[in-house]
């Protein structure tokens, strides 16, 4: 009984912390145009996805949301190809190897090595709807992670040849060139 009560108390604390992140607007909001290209897949109400995004914000601690979001949006806009990654993530390593093997030049932001990495991850969740890594953008468009998300992910797009075409179009890869 004591363990059940402790577990229930921990779960209530978790939901209370997550609820601090979610607030309802007091006035109707006009839809804003997205600052960066997002997936065209239909957005569905996903309780657990929202909970994960809320927990990412809680874990990030206190930070200037507008400043971090602006930083991410500038990076996505200015870099032909950028990957947000964790240095120990096997899916990140696989995606890096796939892009590197093509001879592409790209930027990697290792979130676990950046001072504001958890804040970046939390704001990325708001932009992409995903809390997992890697998160890869090419030509300002979120293409997904290693195997899914966005418009399919690195590996599926590579297998169809679409990844190479997108990298060339964005200026991150010269046709026929290998580094």
């Amino acid at each position: 009984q004591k363990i059940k009560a402790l577990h229930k108390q921990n779960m209530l604390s978790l939901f209370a912390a997550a609820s601090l992140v979610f607030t309802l607007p007091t006035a109707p909001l006009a839809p804003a145009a997205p600052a960066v290209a997002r997936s065209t897949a239909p957005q569905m109400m996903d309780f657990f996805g929202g909970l994960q995004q809320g927990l990412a914000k809680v874990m990030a601690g206190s930070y200037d949301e507008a400043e971090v979001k602006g930083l991410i949006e500038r990076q996505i806009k200015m870099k032909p190809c950028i990957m947000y990654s964790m240095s120990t993530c096997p899916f990140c390593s696989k995606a890096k190897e796939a892009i590197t093997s093509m001879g592409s030049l790209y930027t990697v932001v290792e979130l676990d090595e950046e001072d504001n990495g958890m804040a970046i991850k939390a704001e990325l969740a708001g932009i992409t709807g995903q809390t997992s890594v890697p998160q890869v953008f090419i030509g300002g468009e979120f293409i997904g992670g290693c195997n899914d998300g966005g418009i399919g992910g690195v590996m599926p797009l590579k297998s169809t040849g679409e990844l190479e075409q997108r990298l060339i179009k964005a200026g991150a890869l010269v046709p026929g060139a290998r580094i």
Side-chain angles (χ1 to χ4, degrees), residues 164-176:
E164 181 177 18
Q165 292 305 313
R166 287 179 176 276
L167 289 166
I168 290 169
K169 184 177 177 184
L173 179 64
V174 176

Side-chain angles (χ1 to χ4, degrees), residues 51-168:
L51 183 61
Q52 287 175 324
Q53 289 177 18
L55 288 175
K57 284 199 178 249
V58 168
M59 290 183 346
S62 178
Y63 66 94
D64 184 334
E65 292 179 17
E67 181 181 323
V68 173
K69 186 175 182 183
L71 168 72
I72 295 166
E73 289 173 345
R74 284 189 304 279
Q75 289 174 335
I76 293 168
K77 183 178 178 182
M78 301 301 289
K79 305 289 184 177
C81 179
I82 186 165
M83 178 186 302
Y84 295 92
S85 169
M86 293 280 207
S87 62
T88 58
C89 168
F91 294 103
C92 298
S93 296
K94 186 175 180 180
K96 287 179 221 172
E97 173 57 33
I99 295 172
T100 300
S101 71
M102 298 173 71
S104 179
L105 297 175
Y106 63 104
T107 301
V108 177
V109 178
E110 297 291 1
L111 299 174
D112 55 341
E113 296 175 2
E114 294 287 323
D115 289 338
N116 62 347
M118 291 297 98
I120 292 172
K121 186 175 181 185
E123 290 306 310
L124 275 170
I127 293 170
T128 66
Q130 290 187 196
T131 56
S132 61
V133 288
Q135 292 194 31
V136 182
F137 293 81
I138 299 175
E141 183 175 14
F142 177 54
I143 67 154
C146 182
N147 299 309
D148 58 12
I151 59 169
V154 171
M155 301 311 290
L157 292 176
K158 184 175 181 183
S159 71
T160 64
E162 189 175 343
L163 181 65
E164 181 177 18
Q165 292 305 313
R166 287 179 176 276
L167 289 166
I168 290 169

